[in-house]
Amino acid sequence: MLYGRTPLHVFEKGTVTGVRYRDEILESYVRLFRSAVGPEFILMDDNARPHRALLVDEFLQSKDIRRMDWPARYPDLDPIEHVWDALGGAIATRNPPPRIIQEMKTALLDEWDQLPQEMLNSLISSMKSCCKACISVRGDHNPY
């Protein structure tokens, strides 16, 4: 299960709020994935506003889900950013490109399923060394 993937969740119309993040992502995917992985599971999300809502903190605490502390301006350390890049690249090469929202949703779901599992595994495996490297410089280095 560690080297698996959940289905890609595409938010339907509207803005992603703390409530939607809790209900559509945390409750539907993270809680179940955490149960499969076990007590060593640590959630890594970024500092997006919906992720930091009080109701999200309360939900995570009530489900005994630990969250990794994450620096605000280090997107290249976040493996999901590399996944989004790969997904965006795959969408950009489609011919014809998606023209309407439903075509984009279908393309995203198809391309998500086609992402090589080896790439995802490599990104997951790299997290430990990335975090160690960041800690070793005590956060004194800002690449930007």
Side-chain angles (χ1 to χ4, degrees):
M1 188 70 181
L2 178 60
Y3 292 117
R5 70 177 91 182
T6 63
L8 180 66
H9 181 83
V10 179
F11 285 95
E12 296 298 330
K13 299 175 185 174
T15 302
V16 179
T17 63
V19 171
R20 290 189 75 187
Y21 178 63
R22 180 197 61 199
D23 295 349
E24 296 180 43
I25 302 300
L26 298 177
E27 182 65 43
S28 299
Y29 301 103
V30 173
R31 185 180 59 79
L32 299 174
F33 201 71
R34 187 256 186 230
S35 295
V37 171
E40 67 275 6
F41 178 84
I42 299 174
L43 173 66
M44 189 181 113
D45 58 11
D46 59 21
N47 293 306
R49 189 172 302 230
H51 300 171
R52 297 297 176 240
L54 179 59
L55 64 93
V56 167
D57 293 338
E58 290 169 349
F59 175 85
L60 294 174
Q61 188 173 21
S62 74
K63 303 299 182 194
D64 197 29
I65 298 174
R66 293 182 302 153
R67 175 192 275 157
M68 177 185 275
D69 290 330
W70 200 248
R73 290 185 282 175
Y74 287 89
D76 55 335
L77 290 177
D78 188 347
I80 197 66
E81 297 302 329
H82 300 287
V83 175
W84 295 146
D85 287 345
L87 195 57
I91 296 293
T93 64
R94 285 186 152 239
N95 191 7
R99 294 175 309 238
I100 60 173
I101 290 178
Q102 186 55 46
E103 288 177 1
M104 177 60 87
K105 179 179 178 179
T106 299
L108 286 167
L109 294 170
D110 289 345
E111 295 297 344
W112 173 258
D113 289 339
Q114 298 303 313
L115 287 176
Q117 188 63 45
E118 300 78 30
M119 178 195 73
L120 302 175
N121 295 352
S122 177
L123 289 169
I124 292 167
S125 296
S126 72
M127 279 307 301
K128 188 173 185 176
S129 62
C130 285
C131 289
K132 281 184 176 182
C134 193
I135 291 168
S136 73
V137 294
R138 298 180 322 276
D140 294 341
H141 173 71
N142 186 339
Y144 303 106

